[in-house]
Each structure stands twice: as structure tokens, then as C-alpha cells.
Amino acid sequence: MRAAGEEVLDELSATAAARPAGEDDHVDGVPARVVAEPSTTDEAAAVLRIAAARGLAVVPRGTGTKLSWGHPPERVDIVLDTGRMNRVIEHRAGDLVVHVQAGVRLDALQEHLAAARQRLAISPVRPPGAGPGTVGGVVATGATGPLRLSHGAVRDLLIGVTMVRADGTVAKAGGKVVKNVAGYDLGKVLTGAWGTLGLVTEAVFRLHPLPPAARWVTVPVTSADDAHDKVQRVVHSSVMANALELDRAGDGSAALAVLVEGIPQGVDDRVRTLLGLLGDAGDTGEVGDAEVTDVPPGWWGHAPWERGGVALRLTHEIARLPRLLDAVDDAGPRCGLTAAVRGSPGVGVLHAGLPADPGAVSAFVTLLREASPAWGGDIVVLDAPPAVKAGLDVWGPVRGLSLMRRVKDQFDPDHRMAPGRFAGGI
Amino acid sequence: MTIDEAPALTGLAERLRAALGPDAVIDDHQRLRTYECDGLAQYRVTPALVVLPADVTGVVAAVRACAEAGVPFVARGSGTGLSGGALPRADGVLIVTSRLRRIIEIDAASQRAVVEPGVINLDITKAAGADGYYYAPDPSSQLICSIGGNVAENSGGAHCLKYGFTTNHVTGVQFVAPDGEVVRLGGKAPDATGYDLLGAIVGSEGTLGVVTEVTVRLVREPEAVRTLLAGFAGVDDAGAATSAIIGDGVVPAAMEMMDALAIEAAEAAVRCGYPDGAGAVLIVELDGPAAEVEAQFAEVERHCRAHGAFEIRIAADDAERASFWRGRKSAFAAVGRISPDYIVQDGVIPRTVLAEVLHRIAELSRETGIRVANVFHAGDGNLHPLVLFDDAVPGEAERAEEVSGAILDLCIQHGGSITGEHGVGSDKAKYMPRMFSDADLDTMQLLRCAFDPGGLANPGKVFPTPRLCGEVPGRHKGAHPLQDAGIAEVF
């Protein structure tokens, strides 16, 4: 008698490429049975219909750079790999709009768009040693890096979406025009939903012109208050920084780097203004401390955690940055660990890297969560080794959770899409 | 249905008077008629009951009472929507948020404002101005429209081309769910943990609950603003200039176009003094750091001349800038000077097919004898054709409706949308199936069912045939149960 797994494989193979799962296909330590690799929305729908008929759990995967983020799934029957859904369906350069399949790699897309002097203004959070991932992964996690200050988050750039629901129904929302208020904005609900409401198979994004000139101004910062003071000077000025990143290494050294992009003459002007704003203020004193470069600092756009370490996302009200940094500085020594912090204080999203010490991390996160009303944000453990996650609620408390559970129940009544991976056990 | 005929509603009125005070409840027929329509006056329904809560507790009381009595409710702000989104129900309660008008906090240091839903859009900018900030989304009605209504409709405006829409500027809401639960989503910090239900609430046209507090992003006032007005022979040239400017990598703060008929109307109303003989006028506004603005402004001017602008005016000061905008902002009202009746349409097309679509609209106009004046946000392809007619002429209103619908079909055919900023409301629910499949609409309904399983929040808006929660989503044959019961109609 044939094993049930083989039957599933046969059935899947009739609709999309499929193969037995191997060790590389484990999702955050949870073994998978089968990997399906559809190349179109219709094929993906066929895969999800089979999964629905057989009650199988499905976890979508792009290049896998953020596959271990969140809680480990409760079970994985099918890994739905989007690697073959890698076509740019339509790039309407004149409309500054691109329609892509979810498996398109972000770096390949940027290369394609650059030929038309355009870009998708998403700078993803890059885990150490990882590539920039796929469009689908960026949508699923909603993770954005430096450019968010000037261009908004993934949710703000996504204008249309095609999804396959858990039952295999294909649906779309939004469209191909930037201005559109017809119907519910399901694209936003799917952004950052970690694949738990359905599979995003296609996305339409608004694009921006590629700026002809870019310059980084980097200054050292000496304390949480100094960082705050400099951030406030930049964000309240009319210099219109395109990105503003803080980097505090574990050893206590820290820097703030500001990106300005635009036409060369305008960039020169804004750099001068920035030097005036940052140079004559704070504890560091002189303009001479500032470095002006044509390339970003080496740490720019890279996550502050080590491979195998612990990754946190810390959100905050812009003006309460020092409260958050002080809390990190206070909790670290109390828990016997040092946190490296990096991110976008002008947006209110920082990331932190911690060593993978289960007890210390758990104590650190607890201390920070207790203090979080002081800066008005959330603390999420994005990634950590299984031993660390086991002792933690990685997502923490969630406002509106009962409503979110009802949304999950409507979209995925059998809880088969990435079950247990998301906030509140969703 | 009047309140006298519905015992449930009589009980509701008494209950709400006891909870909210006698001043907060209106059930007198004459006074109720004040609320019979919103900005879209061709639809009129007298609500059974109006409540005017002064705080979130009052809203909870009203919503909970409706939930318990199984009575539908509709939220209404200033009533300036142009799609009938706040059209009352004859068998329901209208919850008016105009007394919820406190600006709770201007937190310039964190670039946020926290306000109640009845606060007027422009008042946020006025309050933030002292700190050098403003609230960016600026519907033409910003002098009177409320932020709660803006959230419901995901309102836009001339400056959304560069700065985005309401959804890009709301970072938190408190709202009362249809079961009366008070839910807070987001706040002053971004990326609250969990699903982005805030993204669902904005633009949901009051079908997911009643918003009672809004946290918005404030935007730093730009260092420089420059505005140019260019006269062209016709819309083709002006459209080509628009494409060239955007194609060159310039993202103006606003880019607005008017055609000959719209200019004629504006001149008749406000004597805006636009260039003589212009078949189209383009207004382009740039803002940002001074050096960028100067350099890009020269580019804009060059593109306008290259595409046939015969006259270019550059605003020397704020007064002149205001005069450029006066004609554009008065255009809707101004068509009343050249036509007894008109329909304001709101459709979107990809910018690159602007010329093609405008030609087709002109053909439609010729074929039907119905005049169409075009005023629109050229930069983002959001058309506002004003379809002119005379209700006194038999059959003309119907032909105008047909032209108006045909324009929406054109938008859909070209990959656009049936509404860019006014919402679907009562007016366009029937067009939704032309843009979305049954599966698309059913999927949206899944969200509705999660928030509002009883279907009491603003029923009949946005979706053409309200499906019952619990009904299996997917394709359906035959009459809908609600249709059979005589509750819903098929468009």
C-alpha cells in the first residue's frame, strides 16, 4: 500500500511541480512532507484546493530569509515555494507601476526597474548573510528598512494584490492605479500577516524615480539623549531626509547616518544644511565629526543581530526614543547581556540583536515589555533559536486580538495556513 | 418606515435619551429631515432616529442598543461625501459624530495629532501650524469635511499625488465595533503587532464600525512651494506635458487639469482670469527643499513649453497662488452656472491613457448630446468628469446617467478604478461587480463578517448584494435569500 504522503505528492504533481520535502525544507525546525512549486496563480490555487480537500497545513516560502521569524508553525504538510513564480508580469514605466509574481526576488526586480530609472522604494531588513528575499516575503512580513522614512512602508507602496484563499479561491483587491478606494483594502490586511490569511501570488506596487544623486552624512552620537537631540533636529528641519538610521553597537559606540537623495545641486544644498544642523550641536561639538560619503556606511540596511542570535523589533513614538534606549541600556546589564540596536528612529522602528541566551533573553524581553508604555510601542521577537523561542511569547500582547482571531476564522476556518506562526497563536 | 410604526425604534429612542440625555436624540420628523442626505443630494432617506453622542461612551451606548435591537446604524460626519456613504436608513439610526470634535493632542515632537472624528480636516492643519506642521490629505472640502469621514472614505485631494491618501497618514484609531466593543488599533508608534486591521478600517465606508478617535501623521511644512499655471490649446497637449513631467522623474506636490468647459464654468463663477482661449489649463505645484524645487520647477516649465503651452504664469506670492487654485477649487460648484443639473463622476485611469480616455469621453458627449466638463487630478489619473444635464428636459437625466456609467466602464477597461476618492457608497455599489469578480467581493465580505456578523453597520453600502455571514463564499446561482425576502434588490 502506498503511503499517504506519496498520494499527496502524486496529486500535487498533476497540478504543479512537487517533490518530497528534505531536511532543508524544515520550517523553523518543523519537518515538512511535500514541497509544491507552482508557477502561476492558477497552479497555486490547485495546490491549495488539494490541501483543503485533504486538510493539509501549508506554509508559503520565498527564498526563506525570514522563514524562521515568528513562532514555529504547529505543523507543515506542504511548503508552498514561490521560487517559480518569478515573472515581472507588467512594468508600466509611464505610470510608475509594476505588477509582479510573489516569487520575484527583490534584487532582480530592482535591476529590472533601474533600466527605466525607477525603483520600488523598499529597502528590506536583511538578516545576516541573507539576500534581500522575495516580493512575497517582504509583503508577508511587512519588514522595511531605511527608505521607509521618505517613501512609507510596504503597505503604503502595495496598490493591488492577488491572493489564493485557504480553500483555493482566487481573489484580488486594489488594482493598478495609485488612487483607488473601491472596496476593502485587503492588501494592507495581508501585508504583515505572515501567510496566515492566504497566499499572496501577485502584487502591484507603485514605483518611484531613481534619484540621480545620493549622499550620506554620518555623525557619532554619545548618548541616548544626544541621539534623540540629533534625530529631532533632522526630522523637524525642512531638509527632507530620505532616510535616517541609528546604529548603536554592543560596545557602546554609536552613529547616526542621514541619507539625502535628489538632484545633485539640491543634494549639495541639503548636505550643507545637515552639517549645520548636526555639526554644531550636541556633545560632539564640531562639524569635523561628520563624514560625508557617496556610499552608505557598512552597517546601513543590515540587521543588527548575528547569525543564530536573537532579533527583536522595537517600535516607539518618535519623541520617546531616549526612553526606549534607556530601557535597553538598563535591562541589558540586569540580564547580563548586551544589545546592539539599529534602525529608523525617524520612523519609530528599531531592531535589536541579542546573544542566544534563553534565560537572559526572556528576562530582557519581559523587562522591556513592562517598561514599554513609556515609549508607546511594541516589542516583538522576530527570530531566535528554538530554545529561546520556547520560553517566550515572541509576539507579546496584541490589541484587538479577538477581532484578529475572527478575521483568521473567516479566511482560514480550518487554521491550515501557517498555523500558529502569528500573533496570539494565529 | 417611521418611528411610530416600529416599536423597536421607539424603545431605542427612550433608551438612548436616558443614556445620552434628551438633547442627543432626535426623533421629530421635521428635524430628522435635516439629515436625509449627505453631499450626494439625489439620494434622500429620512432616518428613523438621529443620535448625537458627545463621547465614546455615547457611541458605545448607541451601537450596543442597535446591536441588541437588531437595528441598522449609519455613522455620519459633516455629510460632505459625494457617494452617499452616509445616506441614512429609514429603519435605522444615524450616529452623527459632529459633537466629537476635540483636538486631543498635537504632538509635534512625535509628528502626530490625536483627534476626535468630528474634527474638521483643516482644523488639524491650523492647530499644527504653530509648530511648523500640517495634515497632508486635503480633499477639496477640507474647510468643512470631518476627519472621521475622511477615514471612512480614505479621502484624497490635490496633494495626494506626492503625499498619499488618508490611509497613509492614519497611524491609529479607536473605534466601536458593531457589537459595541471598543477596540484600539495602532497609536502614535507604527506597526502595532498583529494584522493591519487599521488598513481595513480606513476606506471601509463605515461598514466595520464607528471610529471615535484618530491618530494622524503630521507633515513638516516644506521649505519652498512654487506654483505654475500653463494654458494649452487642448487636453492632448496638457496631457502630454503631464506625462513628460512625471516621466522625467519629477513628483509634483499637485498636478491638476481643467478642460475648456470646466474653465468656462470657473470663469463664469469666480472670474479666475485663466489664459484667454485656453482649451486646457494645467496647474503644477512643487514643494520641498528650495534648491530641489527651483531646479525641478525649471524642468516643469520646459516640459510645458515643449508640449505647446502658449502661456505660463508663475505665482509670485501666496495671493497669486491662491488665485490659480481658486478656479480649480470652485469648478464643481461653478458648473451650476452653466448647467441646471450635473453629476460629479469620480473614476481613475492609468495616467498614460489620459488622452485616449478623454477622447472617448468627448465622443460619448457628441454621440449623446450630453456635455461633459473635465476637472481632474492629472498626476494620479483621477478624473472628475462633470456630466451636465437639464432635469426639465425629458430623458436627459437618464442619458446623463448612462454617460456617467459609460465613463466608469472606460476606467475599468483601462485598468483603472470606479472611485479614486469619493467612495463607493450608495451610488456605485452597482458598479462593483464590473470591477471585481464574485470571488473578490466574497473575499472582502469575509472581512465584513469578522467585524459585523449581523450586517448592521451601514448595510447596503459598498457591496451590491449583501450576502449573509455564514453563507458559503463563492459563486451563487439564482436569487439571493435577501432578494427573495424582499430585503435587498439586484442592481
Side-chain angles (χ1 to χ4, degrees):
Chain A
M1 194 178 145
R2 288 159 59 82
E6 288 177 35
E7 277 179 32
V8 173
L9 189 59
D10 287 349
E11 205 177 336
L12 286 173
S13 298
T15 60
R19 61 177 171 80
E23 273 188 23
D24 289 348
D25 301 310
H26 289 191
V27 179
D28 204 11
V30 180
R33 290 163 67 188
V34 180
V35 178
E37 298 174 295
S39 62
T40 62
T41 295
D42 285 346
E43 285 183 15
V47 170
L48 286 175
R49 278 197 298 273
I50 292 166
R54 290 178 170 269
L56 302 175
V58 178
V59 175
R61 175 179 79 187
T63 50
T65 59
K66 303 174 185 79
L67 203 59
S68 58
W69 286 19
H71 277 298
E74 286 160 13
R75 58 197 174 104
V76 185
D77 298 309
I78 300 174
V79 168
L80 196 151
D81 188 299
T82 60
R84 294 176 67 229
M85 294 201 283
N86 59 0
R87 278 190 311 121
V88 173
I89 297 168
E90 188 182 16
H91 174 203
R92 298 178 75 133
D95 292 316
L96 288 163
V97 164
V98 72
H99 180 187
V100 296
Q101 287 187 304
V104 168
R105 288 172 55 117
L106 208 53
D107 50 357
L109 176 61
Q110 300 293 21
E111 207 173 302
H112 177 99
L113 299 172
R117 290 190 298 138
Q118 294 179 355
R119 71 175 169 188
L120 173 56
I122 291 174
S123 39
V125 180
R126 295 176 77 141
T134 61
V135 163
V138 163
V139 170
T141 58
T144 38
L147 281 179
R148 178 167 177 179
L149 182 71
S150 48
H151 292 93
V154 178
R155 76 193 288 278
D156 299 307
L157 298 168
L158 180 72
I159 58 173
V161 68
T162 302
M163 72 174 296
V164 184
R165 294 199 327 233
D167 66 359
T169 304
V170 176
K172 64 179 189 311
K176 294 180 187 177
V177 284
V178 169
K179 208 169 185 184
N180 180 10
V181 293
Y184 295 150
D185 195 344
L186 293 182
K188 290 199 172 41
V189 181
L190 293 168
T191 303
W194 248 256
T196 57
L197 294 178
L199 174 75
V200 173
T201 56
E202 294 170 27
V204 185
F205 293 101
R206 72 174 296 186
L207 302 173
H208 286 88
L210 207 50
R215 213 74 76 74
W216 282 261
V217 176
T218 308
V219 291
V221 294
T222 55
S223 64
D225 285 338
D226 183 35
H228 171 62
D229 178 54
K230 288 189 162 104
V231 168
Q232 288 280 311
R233 280 166 187 261
V234 176
V235 298
H236 298 311
S237 76
S238 53
V239 78
M240 302 297 282
N242 291 80
L244 166 69
E245 293 286 292
L246 174 69
D247 176 47
R248 293 173 99 220
D251 64 7
S253 65
L256 191 72
V258 186
L259 166 66
V260 287
E261 297 180 320
I263 56 167
Q265 184 198 343
V267 166
D268 288 347
D269 240 48
R270 289 154 71 198
V271 164
R272 267 194 299 279
T273 308
L274 271 172
L275 289 173
L277 282 171
L278 296 171
D280 63 355
D283 304 332
T284 57
E286 296 302 315
V287 177
D289 289 337
E291 213 181 319
V292 181
T293 55
D294 293 335
V295 291
W299 50 267
W300 183 272
H302 291 276
W305 56 86
E306 306 285 332
R307 205 192 276 259
V310 175
L312 305 188
R313 185 182 70 194
L314 312 165
T315 57
H316 65 94
E317 295 174 20
I318 298 167
R320 297 207 200 176
L321 173 68
R323 305 266 180 94
L324 171 56
L325 295 178
D326 286 346
V328 169
D329 292 344
D330 176 57
R334 285 171 66 187
C335 304
L337 51 76
T338 308
V341 176
R342 192 177 288 160
S344 313
V347 172
V349 180
L350 299 180
H351 291 97
L354 307 172
D357 175 339
V361 170
S362 179
F364 183 86
V365 170
T366 303
L367 280 175
L368 242 55
R369 281 195 179 134
E370 281 168 5
S372 66
W375 64 86
D378 292 339
I379 296 108
V380 170
V381 182
L382 287 180
D383 198 4
V388 177
K389 282 189 194 172
L392 274 173
D393 174 5
V394 304
W395 292 100
V398 184
R399 288 183 296 280
L401 184 58
S402 63
L403 203 44
M404 289 175 195
R405 288 191 202 284
R406 300 210 296 266
V407 171
K408 169 73 172 178
D409 289 343
Q410 287 289 332
F411 278 80
D412 179 20
D414 304 326
H415 292 215
R416 291 183 297 97
M417 296 301 297
R421 209 178 159 200
F422 196 52
I426 288 172
Chain B
M1 192 187 307
T2 70
I3 193 160
D4 305 331
E5 297 159 6
L9 286 163
T10 315
L12 210 58
E14 284 164 13
R15 178 176 168 177
L16 291 173
R17 265 199 193 93
L20 304 177
D23 293 352
V25 180
I26 299 171
D27 60 357
D28 169 72
H29 188 71
Q30 274 313 108
R31 289 179 65 206
L32 287 172
R33 289 198 55 194
T34 310
Y35 297 95
E36 68 183 5
C37 68
D38 60 7
L40 190 66
Q42 66 251 42
Y43 297 97
R44 288 173 193 273
V45 175
T46 308
L49 201 63
V50 168
V51 291
L52 294 135
D55 54 24
V56 62
T57 314
V59 177
V60 169
V63 170
R64 195 159 278 163
C66 288
E68 285 169 16
V71 168
F73 60 89
V74 178
R76 172 188 160 116
S78 296
T80 56
L82 291 169
S83 59
L87 183 74
R89 295 268 302 200
D91 59 349
V93 174
L94 189 71
I95 301 172
V96 179
T97 58
S98 57
R99 288 185 183 170
L100 289 151
R101 59 191 320 160
R102 280 187 311 142
I103 293 179
I104 297 165
E105 187 186 3
I106 298 288
D107 181 356
S110 280
Q111 304 184 318
R112 298 289 185 272
V114 184
V115 301
E116 289 187 329
V119 168
I120 303 303
N121 174 303
L122 194 60
D123 286 349
I124 303 175
T125 288
K126 285 181 185 163
D131 294 303
Y133 278 86
Y134 72 107
Y135 176 64
D138 59 341
S140 293
S141 56
Q142 70 180 136
L143 271 167
I144 178 171
C145 64
S146 69
I147 191 73
N150 291 176
V151 169
E153 303 296 335
N154 189 13
S155 304
H159 289 89
C160 292
L161 170 62
K162 179 170 178 181
Y163 291 102
F165 316 96
T166 301
T167 191
N168 307 120
H169 293 267
V170 172
T171 62
V173 293
Q174 179 198 60
F175 76 104
V176 179
D179 61 0
E181 188 192 352
V182 179
V183 182
R184 207 169 255 288
L185 298 171
K188 289 196 215 169
D191 295 352
T193 307
Y195 293 135
D196 185 359
L197 298 185
L198 185 61
I201 293 273
V202 180
S204 62
E205 308 196 25
T207 60
L208 301 180
V210 183
V211 169
T212 47
E213 188 188 294
V214 187
T215 305
V216 298
R217 228 155 54 85
L218 297 173
V219 178
R220 181 79 201 165
E221 284 171 0
E223 189 181 8
V225 181
R226 298 214 65 188
T227 311
L228 158 160
L229 185 145
F232 293 85
V235 289
D236 281 2
D237 292 346
T242 302
S243 289
I245 291 164
I246 302 269
D248 201 20
V250 178
V251 182
M255 213 172 187
E256 303 285 305
M257 204 193 293
M258 293 166 72
D259 72 0
L261 198 51
I263 297 167
E264 181 192 326
E267 292 290 355
V270 296
R271 297 183 187 284
C272 45
Y274 285 170
D276 276 343
V281 156
L282 187 66
I283 299 173
V284 184
E285 190 158 284
L286 298 182
D287 68 13
E292 298 288 313
V293 168
E294 283 311 314
Q296 295 203 325
F297 201 73
E299 288 298 297
V300 169
E301 199 177 336
R302 186 174 64 79
H303 284 300
C304 285
R305 290 200 194 283
H307 290 89
F310 64 83
E311 185 175 338
I312 289 181
R313 297 179 192 170
I314 293 164
D317 51 32
D318 282 351
E320 205 168 351
R321 194 176 140 229
S323 81
F324 289 2
W325 279 107
R326 195 165 63 237
R328 165 65 185 88
K329 294 221 168 188
S330 69
F332 284 9
V335 291
R337 302 284 185 118
I338 60 166
S339 176
D341 304 284
Y342 64 97
I343 299 167
V344 179
Q345 194 46 282
D346 167 38
V348 191
I349 51 166
R351 194 170 35 235
T352 45
V353 296
L354 198 60
E356 192 182 332
V357 170
L358 289 175
H359 275 290
R360 184 64 198 129
I361 291 175
E363 271 172 34
L364 272 170
S365 183
R366 275 196 303 276
E367 286 161 17
T368 57
I370 295 289
R371 292 184 301 165
V372 180
N374 287 291
V375 183
F376 52 96
H377 308 297
D380 47 29
N382 187 190
L383 305 178
H384 286 315
L386 301 160
V387 182
L388 313 183
F389 67 99
D390 184 350
D391 208 15
V393 178
E396 202 162 278
E398 289 74 19
R399 274 189 291 144
E401 274 290 343
E402 278 169 30
V403 169
S404 182
I407 291 172
L408 288 185
D409 282 335
L410 268 177
C411 292
I412 296 168
Q413 281 161 24
H414 286 88
S417 174
I418 58 170
T419 171
E421 56 185 4
H422 294 172
V424 176
S426 308
D427 194 35
K428 293 189 175 174
K430 63 188 171 195
Y431 293 108
M432 285 290 274
R434 301 195 197 177
M435 186 166 162
F436 294 109
S437 71
D438 286 354
D440 302 340
L441 295 173
D442 280 341
T443 304
M444 292 179 193
Q445 289 285 19
L446 294 176
L447 203 63
R448 171 70 172 277
C449 291
F451 278 76
D452 184 23
L456 294 179
N458 210 7
K461 312 293 166 61
V462 185
F463 300 101
T465 44
R467 294 203 176 273
L468 301 168
C469 293
E471 197 182 350
V472 182
R475 240 166 224 293
H476 299 269
K477 283 184 180 161
H480 189 275
L482 287 178
Q483 226 173 288
D484 276 347
I487 298 167
E489 62 175 307
V490 173
F491 292 95

